[in-house]
């Protein structure tokens, strides 16, 4: 599961035409994150990204996280 989540987030970054460095720079400017690419990469690898960090990451990528009720089976 770890590689799937990491790859999914990285694919969003690529689809936005951005690099990890660009994303980290935006996160540092907007939210005061560390400007280290390896810091973000390690968080994705370890799956230790906090919810607030995920919301901030989505924001700099131009997305928002939406909670939606699942369809009943």
């Amino acid at each position: 599961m770890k590689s799937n989540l990491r790859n999914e987030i990285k694919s969003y970054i690529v689809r936005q035409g951005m690099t990890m460095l660009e994303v980290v720079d935006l996160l540092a400017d907007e939210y005061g994150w560390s400007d280290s690419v390896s810091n973000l990469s390690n968080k994705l690898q370890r799956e230790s990204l906090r919810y607030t960090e995920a919301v901030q990451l989505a924001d700099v990528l131009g997305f928002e996280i939406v909670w939606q009720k699942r369809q009943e089976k």
Side-chain angles (χ1 to χ4, degrees):
M1 180 73 176
K2 283 188 179 186
S3 62
N4 290 340
L5 181 61
R6 179 174 175 261
N7 289 338
E8 182 178 345
I9 291 174
K10 282 190 160 191
S11 73
Y12 281 110
I13 292 170
V14 170
R15 280 187 252 165
Q16 291 307 107
M18 300 175 78
T19 65
M20 288 282 280
L21 180 58
E22 291 170 322
V23 171
V24 166
D25 286 343
L26 284 172
L27 288 166
D29 291 345
E30 297 276 329
Y31 297 106
W33 281 39
S34 163
D35 61 355
S36 166
V37 171
S38 63
N39 186 36
L40 176 58
S41 187
N42 289 337
K43 283 178 182 270
L44 296 176
Q45 183 71 33
R46 293 188 313 261
E47 290 189 0
S48 62
L49 198 67
R50 294 180 178 159
Y51 182 73
T52 55
E53 293 170 330
V55 170
Q56 293 168 352
L57 177 57
D59 180 56
V60 299
L61 291 173
F63 293 92
E64 59 184 39
I65 297 175
V66 177
W67 290 54
Q68 183 175 338
K69 182 82 173 152
R70 282 182 284 212
Q71 297 293 326
E72 297 296 323
K73 293 182 180 183

